[in-house]
Amino acid sequence: MEVAVVGTGYVGLTTAVSFALHGHRVTGVDVDAAKINRLKQKICPIYEPGLEEALARAIDSGALRFAASLKEGARDADVLFICVGTPEAADGSADLSYLFAAVDDIRALQADVPKQRTVVIKSTVPVGTADRVAALLAACGGIHVASNPEFLREGSALQDALSPSRIVIGADADEAFAVLKRLYEGVKAPRVFTTRADAELIKYASNAFLATKISFMNELARLCAVLGTDVQTVARGMGLDSRIGPEFLQAGLGFGGSCFPKDTIALLQLAKQHGVSLSILEKVRDLNATQPDWFIARLRDRLGTLHGKRIAVLGLAFKPNTDDIREAPSLKVLNVLLREGAAVSAYDPVASPAVARLFPQVTYASDPYAALQAADAAVLVTEWKQCVDLDWQQVKAVMNAPVLFDGRNAWPADALSKAGFVYVGVGRS
Ligand SMILES: NC(=O)c1ccc[n+]([C@@H]2O[C@H](COP(=O)([O-])OP(=O)(O)OC[C@H]3O[C@@H](n4cnc5c(N)ncnc54)[C@H](O)[C@@H]3O)[C@@H](O)[C@H]2O)c1
């Protein structure tokens, strides 16, 4: 099948590569000409494990190519996936301007080269968007519109796209279902066939529920910190119940990234527009917004003041194995530390250049030990392997004081306490 993928960011590029590896002929299209030029040279514009190698393989096999416009690269496309960004608008709703710009391009393409096509919305969009797109494209004739939300996780995006947890397909015509069934033939995953609106809500509801699990555990961690109980042990005991499950029960500095923050607010806005209050989700967001402050307040208590202290921040990306810093908790942590007059040195294996553009006053180290040099305390913000598996003797030797604040509960608490460190985790005894 001839596939075009509109938008080659985290989702679009991964989608394009994985469909190419599954044997389809794929063209990735993006308005960012510089990105397209790099992709043509097999340079991956994002850090995502395994993606650059897979990109090269797909291009070399002749299955994947890139173009700067639909008219240049997608004239023959049978299926067009829309994977453009849907960021947060000023009022919290999803900004659909990129999506409708892409729809305009598809309309122009169809006017130029009329053909039977299926337009598939993979971007995360509010309920009703695919119906609006279908109404806009109806006049062109020959186009079906489907919703096929994406559930990949940054850091394991390619693996998730190649072996998804589920494939959700929403459509209103047998032809559209048939096209997507063919496209996903051979991909082992449970399928959900439903309406476009259900598919759109499944995506938002999934992210909102995962965010709720995280905030629930973070709130519980605050109680644990007072009671002297251990949130990690509590989480393990809870997670062994198959009705609860072990994932997303880790207390920490809160969720960030390009999805949970914007998708939770967009769902709240959607519900509000329909006169419904999602009060649990409101609380989830409130708690998340204050979690880094809550943790740094404990650091302030420990040190007496942050003013004039040297603090090492380990990990800046919103989670390990990605260079994405959108809504990363590290940004909130740096803000508080700098506002209160701390001198900050930071280390991240890949995200430092992006953070340096926002916080030029921070010193960026090329390894964790350089960041820890003469530090009065260290804060683990992102649990990269490079920030977790440390030589603790060396850590102790280079720090000014052996004070460790583990914002991800990833350091070996007991061993560190025995080794003479002051260890403070998130809700750990
Ligand atoms: N990043 C994730 O982990 C993830 C996971 C699941 C779903 N999603 C959803 O997928 C969508 C895309 O997310 P992302 O993180 O890949 O975004 P991104 O910002 O990384 O990439 C979007 C790309 O679309 C391009 N673009 C914008 N307008 C265009 C147009 N008219 N034509 C062609 N290209 C255009 C941009 O230049 C950019 O390269 C969003 O709706 C997001 O919520 C993201």
Side-chain angles (χ1 to χ4, degrees):
M1 233 181 251
E2 286 285 343
V3 178
V5 175
V6 186
T8 57
Y10 286 86
V11 167
L13 180 56
T14 312
T15 300
V17 169
S18 83
F19 278 131
L21 295 179
H22 277 127
H24 300 289
R25 283 185 305 280
V26 184
T27 305
V29 178
D30 204 292
V31 285
D32 183 339
K35 193 180 266 190
I36 289 296
N37 277 336
R38 297 186 74 198
L39 287 166
K40 282 180 176 171
Q41 296 167 56
K42 305 176 202 170
I43 301 170
C44 189
I46 51 172
Y47 177 85
E48 191 57 52
L51 191 57
E52 192 158 74
E53 297 78 0
L55 167 73
R57 243 186 310 136
I59 293 176
D60 290 344
S61 72
L64 178 60
R65 60 198 191 93
F66 292 93
S69 74
L70 283 178
K71 283 195 179 169
E72 179 198 327
R75 302 174 76 82
D76 299 331
D78 307 301
V79 189
L80 294 113
F81 276 88
I82 301 183
C83 300
V84 300
T86 48
E88 187 180 324
D91 67 353
S93 63
D95 173 356
L96 298 177
S97 56
Y98 300 101
L99 179 108
F100 284 114
V103 171
D104 277 347
D105 292 345
I106 292 172
R107 202 157 40 172
L109 172 74
Q110 184 71 350
D112 221 30
V113 191
K115 194 175 182 296
Q116 193 68 44
R117 304 182 199 262
T118 305
V119 171
V120 187
I121 301 178
K122 216 173 221 326
S123 300
T124 304
V125 293
V127 174
T129 306
D131 288 353
R132 284 172 67 192
V133 170
L136 281 171
L137 292 175
C140 306
I143 293 188
H144 289 296
V145 175
S147 169
N148 173 217
E150 179 55 59
F151 300 97
L152 64 76
R153 299 161 298 177
E154 285 180 26
S156 55
L158 183 63
Q159 196 47 43
D160 291 347
L162 290 171
S163 313
S165 56
R166 72 281 211 196
I167 297 169
V168 175
I169 296 170
D172 68 349
D174 290 345
E175 292 89 331
F177 284 119
V179 165
L180 281 153
K181 277 180 190 167
R182 245 186 82 199
L183 201 61
Y184 281 109
E185 218 167 65
V187 181
K188 268 175 88 179
R191 267 77 166 154
V192 178
F193 297 108
T194 184
T195 62
R196 293 188 292 230
D198 279 353
E200 289 166 334
L201 190 56
I202 286 169
K203 173 64 193 177
Y204 276 113
S206 300
N207 277 358
F209 189 72
L210 293 173
T212 303
K213 281 182 97 173
I214 293 171
S215 278
F216 179 85
M217 292 312 293
N218 283 338
E219 192 164 47
L220 201 69
R222 297 185 190 190
L223 178 64
C224 288
V226 175
L227 296 178
T229 49
D230 189 282
V231 77
Q232 294 282 100
T233 311
V234 173
R236 184 170 141 67
M238 290 167 64
L240 289 169
D241 184 331
S242 62
R243 294 169 303 174
I244 298 174
E247 289 190 78
F248 279 77
L249 294 184
Q250 283 78 29
L253 291 172
F255 56 79
S258 67
C259 292
F260 287 6
K262 80 166 175 65
D263 291 350
T264 48
I265 183 85
L267 183 57
L268 283 170
Q269 283 299 99
L270 178 79
K272 198 164 136 197
Q273 281 160 20
H274 290 82
V276 176
S277 150
L278 298 182
S279 54
I280 294 176
L281 199 54
E282 297 269 8
K283 187 68 198 161
V284 164
R285 284 181 53 84
D286 289 350
L287 200 115
N288 196 61
T290 56
Q291 188 69 359
D293 287 331
W294 171 79
F295 194 58
I296 296 302
R298 305 196 72 208
L299 176 64
R300 187 190 303 111
D301 288 349
R302 174 80 216 176
L303 299 182
T305 176
L306 293 172
H307 190 83
K309 301 290 183 190
R310 189 171 181 81
I311 310 294
V313 171
L314 299 187
L316 298 167
F318 91 91
K319 67 173 180 176
N321 297 319
T322 180
D323 57 356
D324 201 342
I325 61 157
R326 290 178 279 186
E327 303 283 336
S330 65
L331 308 181
K332 286 184 196 156
V333 168
L334 292 180
N335 243 326
V336 182
L337 294 176
L338 293 169
R339 196 179 60 222
E340 299 202 16
V344 182
S345 53
Y347 166 74
D348 187 284
V350 295
S352 292
V355 176
R357 285 193 278 278
L358 302 174
F359 293 98
Q361 60 277 60
V362 168
T363 304
Y364 296 90
S366 55
D367 68 70
Y369 304 100
L372 289 160
Q373 191 71 41
D376 297 301
V379 183
L380 179 67
V381 176
T382 315
E383 65 277 34
W384 285 94
K385 199 174 175 335
Q386 295 91 322
C387 301
V388 172
D389 296 340
L390 297 172
D391 174 338
W392 295 106
Q393 273 190 351
Q394 195 179 342
V395 170
K396 208 168 186 189
V398 298
M399 287 184 77
N400 186 37
V403 177
L404 301 177
F405 270 66
D406 181 356
R408 294 294 171 187
N409 289 347
W411 282 335
D414 291 344
L416 290 172
S417 299
K418 281 190 194 121
F421 285 94
V422 172
Y423 173 91
V424 178
V426 180
R428 304 199 70 180
S429 56

